[in-house]
Amino acid sequence: MMTFREFSALSKTLARIAWGTTPRALWKILYNFCWRNYRNMADFERRQAEGKPFFPAFVMISVTETCNLACTGCWVSAGGRKQLSVEQINGIIEQCKSQGSYFFGLLGGEPLMYKGLWEVIERHPDCYFQIFTNATMLTPEVARRMRRLGNVTPLISIEGLREESDARRGRDNVYDRTLAGLRACRREKLIFGVAASIGRSNYDELLTRKHIEDMAREGAAYLWYYIYRPVGKYPVTENALSREQIRAMREFLVEQRMDAPLFIIDTYWDDKGQAMCPAATGMSHHIAPSGAVEFCPPLQMACEMVNEDGSNIVEIFHSSEFLAAMRRMTAETSRGCILLENPQKMLQMLEEWKAVDTTSRQSVREEYAAMRVVAGHDMRGEEIPERSVVYKMLKKRYFFGFGAYG
């Protein structure tokens, strides 16, 4: 049963979001995101249970490699210019809709630098788009355009306070520029979130109640916490979390969900506290700026490519033996992240399938070969279950493995 503490916090959060947004944005998230996703997840679960041809519940699309920052630990090629065409993105979305999937994460690089972005979103008013952005280009004009569309939620990345942001991002004054973008969203009454990739360098300043309350005061509806993954050309492995820090992070999330003034998101653990990999469950896969169909965004090797108009994406997901083998292998290896816990086994698998480097920099093989094992989020035997009734219900419905883990 829900405690008064949890009920009171949830009621206040829902009221704040409802009163702080436009009727159009509220309708779009309730219908395009909540209702359509509910049906989509049910269909996905049914397909998995009945052994029907595979299609993921959600597709993440990196529209461009281009970015205006140079973050350490980022898997995107600095200075890369690969990007999908508008025709490819529209084709991918239409194919996904034919399978009942209407929610898309749009990543980069920096997706706000992609010239065809608004053309794509305007063409699909029946879908809901989450734009992963550093917000330094999220001007008042951009926020107003998002408001008119209504079917967009910006997810704004804040990787630390002022000093840490500049160090992590490779540019000056990033924190204040990001806050300006965030405040433009609040003024236009958008439903938006804040993301943080937690490593050793920002652990103490972002994994705090103060940060949660600060972001709620700035108008954020949700806060999405990631675990830092040392990948890319400059991985900074020493910034990876220890096992003890990951356990403390899990405990923090579970406790804060009881009365946080916004929704706290993670995609690492189910309702019982068991580790999860969304790609291993088949819940989500990724399409790179090159057109490669990848297992997950930081795993930048693939065997299949979308065609010129994106019309072959259903066929790829239905027939890809490579993606099916990756799902099996990762689920059998760990409930956590194979990229962190067993990069050599992952690379061996990629080599066996003759997967190709999908990046502009063409150094992914060497990067994976040099990766060191670091702590992942699989805490087998020390699981911390959800205590919030609401999060327990949501995760039990959407994060229970879909048979991937036996």
Side-chain angles (χ1 to χ4, degrees):
M1 182 180 294
M2 190 182 300
T3 64
F4 177 78
R5 170 192 174 197
E6 184 180 358
F7 176 78
S8 176
L10 178 63
S11 300
K12 291 177 182 176
T13 297
L14 290 172
R16 176 176 65 81
I17 295 170
W19 285 108
T21 191
T22 65
R24 179 177 179 81
L26 196 59
W27 167 250
K28 289 287 187 178
I29 196 169
L30 288 174
Y31 185 74
N32 287 16
F33 179 72
C34 296
W35 172 242
R36 285 191 185 278
N37 266 353
Y38 173 79
R39 296 179 60 185
N40 176 39
M41 292 298 291
D43 290 343
F44 171 72
E45 180 184 347
R46 192 178 304 113
R47 290 195 300 270
Q48 294 291 84
E50 296 175 359
K52 291 185 176 180
F54 172 80
F55 197 87
F58 312 115
V59 173
M60 311 297 281
I61 306 172
S62 287
V63 296
T64 181
E65 283 185 321
T66 305
C67 189
N68 60 332
L69 300 181
C71 306
T72 58
C74 181
W75 56 81
V76 181
S77 298
R81 291 293 180 267
K82 288 188 177 183
Q83 64 177 28
L84 294 166
S85 69
V86 169
E87 292 73 23
Q88 283 177 310
I89 300 171
N90 282 326
I92 291 164
I93 292 172
E94 291 292 350
Q95 289 284 296
C96 289
K97 288 197 288 187
S98 75
Q99 302 299 300
S101 180
Y102 290 82
F103 172 70
F104 302 90
L106 301 181
L107 305 85
E110 172 49 58
L112 294 182
M113 297 184 75
Y114 182 74
K115 291 183 179 179
L117 182 67
W118 308 119
E119 178 184 344
V120 168
I121 294 173
E122 287 170 355
R123 181 165 171 171
H124 303 281
D126 52 344
C127 294
Y128 201 77
F129 298 93
Q130 185 176 52
I131 298 179
F132 293 67
T133 175
N134 60 50
T136 59
M137 302 180 69
L138 211 168
T139 63
E141 292 74 23
V142 168
R144 280 194 288 275
R145 189 157 196 175
M146 290 181 178
R147 174 176 175 154
R148 288 195 297 271
L149 290 166
N151 61 336
V152 179
T153 177
L155 178 58
I156 298 169
S157 175
I158 294 180
E159 300 302 338
L161 303 185
R162 284 179 176 83
E163 185 176 339
E164 173 63 15
S165 286
D166 287 356
R168 185 90 158 252
R169 300 297 207 172
R171 297 289 187 271
D172 295 330
N173 200 32
V174 174
Y175 182 73
D176 288 332
R177 291 160 62 196
T178 297
L179 281 185
L182 187 149
R183 288 164 182 168
C185 292
R186 184 182 63 190
R187 284 193 296 271
E188 294 301 324
K189 297 186 174 182
L190 302 181
I191 296 174
F192 66 94
V194 175
S197 176
I198 302 298
R200 291 176 185 261
S201 59
N202 63 7
Y203 189 93
D204 292 332
E205 60 186 30
L206 295 188
L207 205 66
T208 65
R209 180 68 180 204
K210 183 180 185 304
H211 181 62
I212 291 172
E213 293 177 349
D214 286 347
M215 294 301 99
R217 277 192 293 271
E218 293 287 357
Y222 57 101
L223 179 54
W224 196 330
Y225 280 111
Y226 303 101
I227 294 172
Y228 175 81
R229 287 170 286 190
V231 293
K233 190 173 182 179
Y234 305 106
V236 192
T237 305
E238 59 270 20
N239 197 32
L241 296 177
S242 68
R243 179 177 176 83
E244 292 72 26
Q245 286 175 315
I246 293 175
R247 179 175 175 78
M249 176 178 175
R250 170 62 179 166
E251 181 65 49
F252 174 81
L253 299 182
V254 168
E255 175 58 27
Q256 294 303 317
R257 283 181 174 133
M258 295 300 296
D259 61 359
L262 44 60
F263 292 101
I264 299 179
I265 312 299
D266 78 78
T267 54
Y268 295 115
W269 296 280
D270 65 12
D271 63 300
K272 298 181 181 67
Q274 298 177 116
M276 296 289 296
C277 168
T281 68
M283 190 185 303
S284 177
H285 287 310
H286 176 249
I287 299 172
S290 62
V293 183
E294 298 174 343
F295 184 67
C296 68
L299 209 164
Q300 298 178 289
M301 296 180 72
C303 291
E304 291 97 4
M305 305 283 289
V306 296
N307 57 15
E308 291 182 355
D309 60 3
S311 61
N312 64 336
I313 191 64
V314 173
E315 177 187 351
I316 288 174
F317 281 131
H318 279 185
S319 62
S320 174
E321 295 181 7
F322 167 68
L323 290 174
M326 285 294 297
R327 289 193 296 272
R328 287 193 300 271
M329 184 272 289
T330 53
E332 290 167 0
T333 301
S334 169
R335 291 187 67 107
C337 177
I338 193 169
L339 198 65
L340 302 181
E341 298 173 7
N342 202 333
Q344 297 311 309
K345 183 173 182 178
M346 176 196 71
L347 180 58
Q348 180 182 353
M349 179 80 166
L350 294 169
E351 296 287 13
E352 287 174 359
W353 280 90
K354 297 180 172 57
V356 300
D357 186 332
T358 63
T359 69
S360 290
R361 64 185 184 277
Q362 290 294 298
S363 58
V364 168
R365 276 186 175 80
E366 293 76 13
E367 292 164 16
Y368 291 162
M371 285 183 72
R372 303 203 312 263
V373 174
V374 297
H377 61 282
D378 189 356
M379 303 184 296
R380 202 161 305 185
E382 300 178 3
E383 292 87 352
I384 302 172
E386 294 291 342
R387 293 196 285 270
S388 160
V389 172
V390 173
Y391 287 91
K392 186 180 296 184
M393 177 186 68
L394 289 173
K395 287 201 165 190
K396 189 172 184 179
R397 178 67 185 85
Y398 295 125
F399 273 77
F400 60 89
F402 306 106
Y405 299 104

